[in-house]
Amino acid sequence: MNFPILSSLILLPSIGSIFLFFSKSNDSKNLAIKYIALFTSIVNFLISIYLLIVFDSSTPAFQFVEDKIWLEGFINYKVGIDGISILFIILTTFISLLCIISVNNSVKTRLREFLIAILIMESFMIGVFCSLDLLIFYLFFEAGLIPMFLIIGIWGGPKRVYSAFKFFLYTLLGSVLMLVAIISIYWISGTTDIVKLYEEGIDPKYQNLLWLAFFSSFAVKTPMWPVHTWLPDAHVEAPTVGSVLLAAILLKMAGYGFIRFSLGLFPIASEIFTPLIYILSLVAIIFTSLIALMQEDMKKLIAYSSVAHMGYVTLGIFTLQQQGIEGSILQMISHGLVSAALFLCVGVIYDRMHSRMISSYGGIVSIIPKYSVFFMIFTLAALGLPGTLGFVSEFLILMGAFIDNFLVAVIASIGVILGAAYMLWLYKRVVFGELTNSDLAKMNDLNSSEYFILISLAIPILFFGFYPDPIINIIEVSVKNLIETYNLNLISK
Amino acid sequence: MEISILILPLVASIISGLFGKYIGDKYSGYITSILISISAILSIVVFYQVIFNQYENNIVIATWINSGSLAVNWSMKIDPLSAVMLVVVSLVSSLVHVYSIGYMHHDPHKPRFMSYLSLFTFSMLTLVTSDNLIQLFFGWEGVGVCSYFLIGFWFKRESANSAAIKAFIVNRVGDFGLAIGIFLIFYFFGTVNYSEVFALIPTIVDQEFSFLGLEVKKIDLICLLLFIGAMGKSAQIFLHTWLPDAMEGPTPVSALIHAATMVTAGVFLVVRCSPIYEYSPVILNFITIVGMTTAFFAATVALVQTDIKKIIAYSTCSQLGYMFFAAGVGAYNVAMFHLFTHAFFKALLFLGSGSVIHAFKDEQNINNMGGVLKKLPYTYILMIIGTLALTGFPFLSGFYSKDAIIEFAYLKGNTVGYYAAGIGIFTAFLTSIYSWRLIFKTFHGDYNNKKIKIEETHESPIIMLLPLALLAIGAIFAGISFKELFMGQGSENLFWGNSIKFLNPLSADHPPFWFIVLTPTLILLAIPIAYYLFVRNKQIPIKIADINKPLHNFLVNKWYFDELYEVLFVKPSKIVGLFLWKFCDVKIIDGFGPDGISLFIKKCSIKANKFQSGFIYQYAFVMLLGFSVLLTFLIIK
């Protein structure tokens, strides 16, 4: 591979943001700015699709690898992708594109800066998913927080500063430990190259501590119970687009990290700590579902449901079954699309009514029927109705969990009942019923950009719900290889 | 051809759902009805093929989920069992579609309604034609969500919305059992395909499985979990609470979903899995007990309800109980036969009650009706036919199927069997009483409605009566025409073939003569009794209710199940949710976590601030203090 396609994917949004930085935003509609951002993200999305076409899903090896010396003998800039990471890259470019299209509806001030933040974040996120060097990974992983921090802190709601700081403190705390762990891996193994580390393995006597350090970072970002409390606050205060990016992509970095690093680098420790993950996942699924039931703020409700959904992800990953891990990856994709869609749905009515409270709505189905249809589709997808991607993923996760541990799977299945309860109750209170608030009658139905965005989220959710094979085919070999290496490592040590 | 049976309803749903606005109310009704009718005709063709040519097929439409060793296809399995269901579902559905054109005439959201009905039909057909458990689960939840849409169709009514959610969530509780059953099957056999699973069942018959420290037989656990799913869908006792509430939906919905098709999915599941259930006598007995308890319980509640639709809903619940106890005693074919006949007469009763409700302009309380038999002659006659068929009047369809259930229970020859037969006979008597009560209070006696004048009540249009008439034909003749096919001598092999497994051949004996005539006699006796109680001497039922106040209240409040669940599940979930949120998350995690730490640091820095007072003498004092401590330390050392 001669052309550095991954680097161009990473760099392109940043280049676009540089253009944005130097462009003048003097015309009233900011047309030039919008087109630059839009163009950049479309091109990037197309490149990622091209990547998918030329990607060879029959081999578990990393492809499109670029390896350049950055600091002699210390850090190499090494990127490459396998079947697992390519999906997340496409998710990132796709969601970023939709965010840029939808930005008009929710962001009224400092549009140029906002778009710059989104593009830079896109760069970093893609970087996270294709890094093959721990330090590079760490840099992208942490740098991605900065635009998010700014998005919440500048364009957020009234309590934005508190939320931004809470978000930053939580995530930074975990990250510091991960940095320490990465440095010690360098001291132990003499390299931070992931491929080399996979081959050589890490001395079992260090694995437990290193695993815990990585875990502390990933757990915060997933977020797992009990370090999840930053998420509802961050979502509530973030602007719609911020919430979408946060839920759809940022949370997925941790799930990806668990698969790539915790399982890949520390199999022995993973085996030891599996019960811990199981317990925390179950607590997340059950507790946060119950909490979601009682929320009065729509965004908070969806945020708590995210915690529950990510609980399934962590559960599935550590089952170490083909079905479980594939289910987890599908669940991350599904949650990426569904939560993005749900936050956008909340955004649509928030833009019109400026309220996120469930109680200020009711009976809007007769006012904005198109919106209600989409909201219903995403509600059903969130509760894992068969025919949506959410069903396939949850079903596979539970199936995998079942093979590994009967009781865990049974308890996790209860979450499916609760999920139906809080989502349908939310929908009923917002959309159905008598129209009591007369202001609601003035609402307009979806405008063309909202319509376009929601439909482009609904199509993959439904399509892959009926026919998930294309996704499963991409990840299958990589997941199989992951499990095989994991089991080999367990036996050999 | 087979695939188009499945696809046409989906096409109908999409046309009416997405383009309903453009094609208009009228055409969306016609288009969906025509497409579903074609599907029904094709189903009948398939059914004939199955009967006369022993046609069987397993069509793979596409792959669905392929993960590791799990391979699931979209498929269509045609065998006698699914052929029967195809006919029941598509036929009743097409009639209900036609009826809805008239019934929903004034509704502003008619295309949406038709779209949901068609979507429901599609889901139900995928459920019954599946060749694996996961597609079954797809259909299972699919019909659940359509039922949710349709119960809550009149979205402005608070009660309709709550009923819709309740239906979905109670069903999810059942689905939870079903899903775990499916996981367990996959875990044990590595496949979810019926034929593969059924072939492997004999190999695990005696194996045990440790569950929460208990050693249980694998087969019993699988059967129990699948049955929990069936209980939810078929509204058996403990998971029945959603069905009466579901009557909030428009009446055609009640006829299609909550009488003829969806609620019978549970029975279908048990019959479909007969190759598993046959090896688990324990769970079969359990099914019998649950079935007969439900039959009895629902019949007692139906005695005192005043809402015309709720009476029929409880009646459905009760009849489903009969089907289950037939399956429980191993007479799966009889269960299917009752399912088949029940679909006709119960849909007839519901649509008939819809016609009554239509005539009274949305009045549902039977105390506010009466005396309209001359005004609604056709509806009256059709309702009478439905009632006769339901109660098992000789030679109508219910007579053959219900009596056969009671007889097979008796022939089972064990305690559970005798007990079930006894309860079955008594429940049949109650069925007759409450059914005639409904007829007499609705059509006979004095006119009791204060809101509209008797002159304003009117017979329904022909488009509504026509489906009723067709169903009435079914209610009269379905029993006598199909009795031999479904449960004649040797039908196990001749008709059902491999689709139902009978480990022990069904008893070919006949119960004693007195037993055979007992049920019909009681049923006939019930008619004059009901007439006397509800037309001639109306004071007696009131007096009986007054004397037995606690019992009456117990029945009126449906054995207090709703109240019990409110206390046991709904309130605790809310309280726990609130506690976890306000206490655990906010007070403990945030309080000791980020908020606590930042507060602590803030306090420390405020304290530290005080050192920087700016007064030289304070600094000098501290320096002196430090210096002397250091000096002391050095000297001592």
Side-chain angles (χ1 to χ4, degrees):
Chain A
M1 196 66 208
N2 297 322
F3 182 72
I5 185 166
L6 289 178
S7 296
S8 33
L9 258 182
I10 298 172
L11 280 177
L12 195 74
S14 306
I15 295 170
S17 67
I18 293 170
F19 273 104
L20 277 180
F21 186 73
F22 288 110
S23 66
K24 290 240 165 55
S25 59
N26 44 12
D27 66 314
S28 58
K29 285 185 174 168
N30 297 317
L31 279 179
I33 298 178
K34 268 184 238 160
Y35 284 128
I36 292 174
L38 200 59
F39 178 75
T40 317
S41 56
I42 288 175
V43 171
N44 226 28
F45 177 62
L46 291 178
I47 295 178
S48 68
I49 293 293
Y50 169 76
L51 197 63
L52 182 68
I53 295 167
V54 294
F55 180 79
D56 176 9
S57 59
S58 62
T59 160
F62 288 100
Q63 301 174 39
F64 311 105
V65 177
E66 295 165 36
D67 195 353
K68 298 201 177 60
I69 293 165
W70 184 8
L71 287 176
E72 184 70 47
F74 183 49
I75 311 176
N76 280 9
Y77 169 81
K78 186 170 182 182
V79 289
I81 52 170
D82 67 352
I84 299 170
S85 32
I86 187 163
L87 284 179
F88 291 100
I89 291 175
I90 292 171
L91 182 71
T92 309
T93 55
F94 179 61
I95 296 288
S96 303
L97 173 61
L98 293 185
C99 283
I100 286 172
I101 298 173
S102 82
V103 106
N104 278 359
N105 299 316
S106 58
V107 176
K108 307 289 180 213
T109 55
R110 298 176 194 242
L111 188 63
R112 187 174 61 147
E113 287 77 3
F114 194 84
L115 290 170
I116 291 176
I118 295 182
L119 285 177
I120 290 189
M121 200 157 122
E122 184 182 352
S123 277
F124 291 147
M125 294 302 117
I126 296 172
V128 166
F129 295 124
C130 48
S131 315
L132 287 183
D133 187 283
L134 281 174
L135 260 166
I136 301 289
F137 171 80
Y138 180 79
L139 287 179
F140 282 128
F141 194 73
E142 293 313 314
L145 296 180
I146 298 167
M148 196 65 228
F149 176 69
L150 295 175
I151 287 175
I152 298 174
I154 296 173
W155 289 274
K159 281 173 71 187
R160 57 180 181 265
V161 177
Y162 169 76
S163 295
F165 269 102
K166 199 168 174 183
F167 165 69
F168 205 71
L169 282 179
Y170 255 121
T171 45
L172 201 68
L173 177 79
S175 308
V176 169
L177 291 172
M178 185 164 79
L179 181 63
V180 174
I182 291 173
I183 293 169
S184 21
I185 288 177
Y186 182 74
W187 286 118
I188 296 162
S189 306
T191 178
T192 52
D193 183 330
I194 294 168
V195 183
K196 268 190 206 150
L197 287 170
Y198 275 173
E199 282 162 9
E200 291 164 11
I202 291 172
D203 196 333
K205 67 181 174 198
Y206 302 114
Q207 279 197 13
N208 287 354
L209 275 178
L210 293 173
W211 188 93
L212 281 173
F214 274 81
F215 167 76
S216 65
S217 173
F218 296 149
V220 167
K221 284 215 180 62
T222 310
M224 295 178 79
W225 193 88
V227 284
H228 65 283
T229 58
W230 61 272
L231 188 73
D233 282 314
H235 272 310
V236 166
E237 298 306 321
T240 304
V241 176
S243 291
V244 171
L245 287 170
L246 184 58
I249 312 174
L250 230 61
L251 301 189
K252 307 299 170 290
M253 298 195 304
Y256 175 78
F258 274 125
I259 297 177
R260 180 71 79 227
F261 302 106
S262 300
L263 295 188
L265 295 178
F266 320 117
I268 293 164
S270 292
E271 199 65 16
I272 294 171
F273 288 112
T274 297
L276 173 73
I277 296 273
Y278 277 177
I279 290 168
L280 292 183
S281 304
L282 289 182
V283 169
I285 292 169
I286 303 296
F287 281 21
T288 48
S289 294
L290 285 169
I291 296 174
L293 203 58
M294 296 313 294
Q295 295 305 309
E296 289 134 15
D297 180 318
M298 286 189 269
K299 269 189 149 181
K300 251 189 180 168
L301 194 153
I302 300 167
Y304 273 112
S305 85
S306 287
V307 181
H309 281 125
M310 293 307 284
Y312 283 107
V313 172
T314 47
L315 178 67
I317 291 172
F318 282 84
T319 58
L320 256 302
Q321 300 293 332
Q322 183 93 13
Q323 285 89 9
I325 296 182
E326 288 183 1
S328 289
I329 296 168
L330 285 178
Q331 172 84 340
M332 283 194 264
I333 304 291
S334 154
H335 179 258
L337 299 171
V338 174
S339 65
L342 285 173
F343 280 119
L344 284 165
C345 279
V346 175
V348 167
I349 48 178
Y350 179 78
D351 292 340
R352 289 161 175 69
M353 300 303 299
H354 302 287
S355 168
R356 292 184 313 263
M357 289 299 142
I358 294 169
S359 55
S360 43
Y361 295 93
I364 59 175
V365 61
S366 45
I367 313 289
I368 45 175
K370 272 189 218 161
Y371 166 83
S372 308
V373 171
F374 279 109
F375 195 9
M376 177 48 90
I377 293 174
F378 300 128
T379 301
L380 294 177
L383 60 85
L385 189 82
T388 63
L389 190 52
F391 165 74
V392 181
S393 55
E394 274 179 19
F395 211 76
L396 286 176
I397 290 171
L398 292 174
M399 209 163 230
F402 211 95
I403 298 171
D404 201 50
N405 190 321
F406 183 83
L407 192 61
V408 167
V410 172
I411 297 172
S413 304
I414 297 173
V416 177
I417 303 173
L418 295 172
Y422 63 71
M423 284 316 295
L424 290 181
W425 200 30
L426 166 73
Y427 191 83
K428 175 201 140 186
R429 286 179 290 172
V430 173
V431 175
F432 289 146
E434 284 286 357
L435 195 69
T436 44
N437 184 347
S438 56
D439 294 345
L440 295 173
K442 284 176 239 143
M443 277 200 288
N444 299 319
D445 210 341
L446 300 175
N447 64 31
S448 53
S449 75
E450 290 163 342
Y451 196 73
F452 174 78
I453 293 164
L454 292 181
I455 216 163
S456 28
L457 286 165
I459 287 171
I461 292 170
L462 293 174
F463 178 79
F464 292 120
F466 281 93
Y467 190 60
D469 247 22
I471 301 186
I472 294 178
N473 284 339
I474 295 171
I475 55 180
E476 190 165 18
V477 178
S478 300
V479 171
K480 199 176 266 173
N481 179 58
L482 177 81
I483 296 171
E484 274 164 14
T485 354
Y486 180 91
N487 288 332
L488 269 180
N489 279 331
L490 276 190
I491 296 163
S492 65
K493 273 160 193 168
Chain B
M1 182 183 83
E2 291 84 353
I3 296 175
S4 53
I5 298 177
L6 266 186
I7 299 297
L8 287 175
L10 183 64
V11 172
S13 167
I14 292 171
I15 291 177
S16 183
L18 293 185
F19 309 107
K21 214 168 41 185
Y22 309 107
I23 58 176
D25 285 10
K26 205 169 153 192
Y27 288 102
S28 70
Y30 290 149
I31 289 174
T32 49
S33 303
I34 289 168
L35 289 175
I36 306 284
S37 304
I38 296 173
S39 175
I41 292 166
L42 293 174
S43 304
I44 292 170
V45 173
V46 168
F47 187 51
Y48 268 81
Q49 293 275 347
V50 171
I51 296 175
F52 293 112
N53 301 337
Q54 273 79 43
Y55 172 69
E56 283 196 25
N57 203 351
N58 199 347
I59 306 161
V60 174
I61 302 172
T63 59
W64 185 16
I65 306 175
N66 258 318
S67 173
S69 54
L70 175 72
V72 182
N73 289 327
W74 291 108
S75 57
M76 227 183 139
K77 184 186 177 78
I78 309 279
D79 65 353
L81 186 57
S82 61
V84 170
M85 291 304 287
L86 275 179
V87 169
V88 170
V89 173
S90 57
L91 197 61
V92 177
S93 174
S94 59
L95 295 177
V96 168
H97 271 79
V98 174
Y99 179 90
S100 303
I101 296 177
Y103 190 84
M104 301 299 282
H105 187 64
H106 303 294
D107 199 282
H109 301 285
K110 204 161 125 193
R112 189 162 63 91
F113 182 77
M114 297 313 251
S115 169
Y116 289 159
L117 276 187
S118 303
L119 187 64
F120 166 80
T121 312
F122 166 72
S123 310
M124 190 70 203
L125 292 174
T126 54
L127 190 164
V128 297
T129 57
S130 162
D131 77 342
N132 62 70
L133 284 159
I134 298 192
Q135 187 186 328
L136 172 111
F137 193 77
F138 169 86
W140 195 266
E141 290 246 300
V143 291
V145 81
C146 293
S147 154
Y148 163 81
F149 288 146
L150 286 164
I151 296 169
F153 183 74
W154 286 317
F155 52 80
K156 285 189 178 167
R157 282 196 207 164
E158 179 65 26
S159 54
N161 289 320
S162 307
I165 292 187
K166 184 171 172 187
F168 196 83
I169 291 170
V170 174
N171 265 301
R172 269 258 157 142
V173 176
D175 296 355
F176 162 76
L178 176 61
I180 293 176
I182 296 174
F183 296 144
L184 205 61
I185 284 175
F186 179 71
Y187 176 50
F188 290 152
F189 306 112
T191 171
V192 287
N193 203 296
Y194 289 139
S195 49
E196 292 166 20
V197 172
F198 295 161
L200 291 168
I201 287 290
T203 60
I204 63 143
V205 170
D206 292 319
Q207 290 179 20
E208 296 200 325
F209 176 77
S210 163
F211 173 60
L212 297 176
L214 289 170
E215 288 290 318
V216 283
K217 272 188 166 178
K218 283 180 177 177
I219 194 115
D220 289 346
L221 195 58
I222 292 176
C223 288
L224 179 67
L225 289 165
L226 295 182
F227 182 59
I228 290 174
M231 281 172 77
K233 196 94 317 176
S234 293
Q236 293 299 288
I237 194 160
F238 301 119
L239 294 178
H240 68 280
T241 53
W242 64 273
L243 185 60
D245 289 26
M247 296 302 123
E248 286 289 339
T251 308
V253 173
S254 315
L256 176 62
I257 301 187
H258 307 121
T261 57
M262 183 185 87
V263 287
T264 60
V267 182
F268 168 77
L269 175 68
V270 172
V271 177
R272 171 59 87 198
C273 294
S274 58
I276 311 181
Y277 279 97
E278 276 298 88
Y279 291 96
S280 175
V282 181
I283 302 300
L284 279 181
N285 280 338
F286 178 67
I287 293 177
T288 313
I289 293 168
V290 168
M292 82 190 176
T293 314
T294 310
F296 174 72
F297 148 77
T300 58
V301 176
L303 280 176
V304 297
Q305 295 300 310
T306 52
D307 183 314
I308 184 167
K309 285 179 73 184
K310 285 205 172 158
I311 298 173
I312 308 179
Y314 275 106
S315 161
T316 306
C317 206
S318 171
Q319 297 304 311
L320 290 165
Y322 273 105
M323 294 175 209
F324 274 113
F325 87 63
V329 296
Y332 303 101
N333 52 342
V334 183
M336 282 308 289
F337 190 44
H338 195 52
L339 187 160
F340 182 72
T341 57
H342 176 259
F344 292 106
F345 57 70
K346 193 49 71 63
L348 172 62
L349 280 173
F350 261 121
L351 294 184
S353 78
S355 183
V356 173
I357 294 167
H358 202 70
F360 279 97
K361 303 217 163 52
D362 298 329
E363 176 60 63
Q364 300 199 5
N365 190 331
I366 54 171
N367 287 333
N368 299 337
M369 296 176 179
V372 287
L373 69 115
K374 293 226 173 72
K375 293 289 292 179
L376 310 171
Y378 300 113
T379 306
Y380 176 64
I381 292 167
L382 293 165
M383 288 282 281
I384 291 278
I385 293 172
T387 303
L388 289 172
L390 164 68
T391 54
F393 190 82
F395 312 116
L396 295 186
S397 58
F399 168 71
Y400 294 103
S401 54
K402 195 193 286 177
D403 282 16
I405 290 175
I406 297 170
E407 283 165 26
F408 273 106
Y410 176 83
L411 289 175
K412 180 84 175 170
N414 59 8
T415 327
V416 176
Y418 287 132
Y419 200 39
I423 298 266
I425 293 170
F426 184 60
T427 306
F429 176 70
L430 293 181
T431 308
S432 194
I433 296 272
Y434 70 68
S435 304
W436 287 107
R437 168 176 177 260
L438 185 152
I439 291 288
F440 292 140
K441 288 204 134 191
T442 310
F443 292 101
H444 292 255
D446 304 321
Y447 185 77
N448 290 323
N449 197 311
K450 297 187 181 67
K451 274 186 238 152
I452 53 171
K453 295 199 185 88
I454 188 160
E455 289 77 32
E456 286 173 38
T457 60
H458 59 88
E459 185 60 277
S460 299
I462 183 78
I463 199 157
M464 286 167 69
L465 290 175
L466 189 72
L468 283 175
L470 290 172
L471 285 170
I473 294 171
I476 298 171
F477 296 110
I480 196 156
S481 345
F482 289 96
K483 150 172 90 84
E484 273 306 307
L485 180 73
F486 277 74
M487 48 179 210
Q489 201 64 260
S491 64
E492 296 100 308
N493 298 320
L494 286 175
F495 178 60
W496 297 107
N498 291 326
S499 63
I500 298 181
K501 185 170 178 111
F502 298 94
L503 206 55
N504 306 308
L506 281 175
S507 167
D509 301 340
H510 288 287
F513 182 71
W514 65 267
F515 188 84
I516 296 179
V517 292
L518 181 60
T519 327
T521 319
L522 281 174
I523 288 161
L524 292 176
L525 271 177
I527 305 175
I529 295 176
Y531 189 73
Y532 183 74
L533 287 178
F534 301 112
V535 181
R536 282 285 142 150
N537 208 336
K538 290 184 182 172
Q539 296 311 311
I540 295 183
I542 299 171
K543 273 186 196 149
I544 294 175
D546 273 346
I547 296 165
N548 300 304
K549 203 78 197 158
L551 179 67
H552 186 248
N553 279 342
F554 184 65
L555 293 181
V556 168
N557 288 304
K558 309 144 202 163
W559 293 29
Y560 293 105
F561 270 107
D562 283 331
E563 290 73 8
L564 187 70
Y565 288 169
E566 180 76 21
V567 174
L568 280 183
F569 301 111
V570 180
K571 285 217 174 108
S573 302
K574 289 184 174 174
I575 293 169
V576 170
L578 214 55
F579 170 80
L580 286 172
W581 174 28
K582 296 276 185 198
F583 188 76
C584 290
D585 268 23
V586 175
K587 285 246 166 69
I588 300 202
I589 297 177
D590 276 357
F592 289 99
D595 294 354
I597 291 170
S598 58
L599 203 69
F600 176 74
I601 291 172
K602 207 170 175 183
K603 271 186 189 156
C604 287
S605 53
I606 288 171
K607 291 244 165 76
N609 252 343
K610 289 190 176 146
F611 282 106
Q612 289 189 357
S613 57
F615 297 117
I616 301 286
Y617 61 85
Q618 273 187 4
Y619 296 161
F621 179 68
V622 173
M623 276 163 76
L624 190 68
L625 212 64
F627 186 68
S628 44
V629 168
L630 185 71
L631 212 61
T632 322
F633 178 73
L634 287 174
I635 291 169
I636 289 171
K637 202 178 169 195

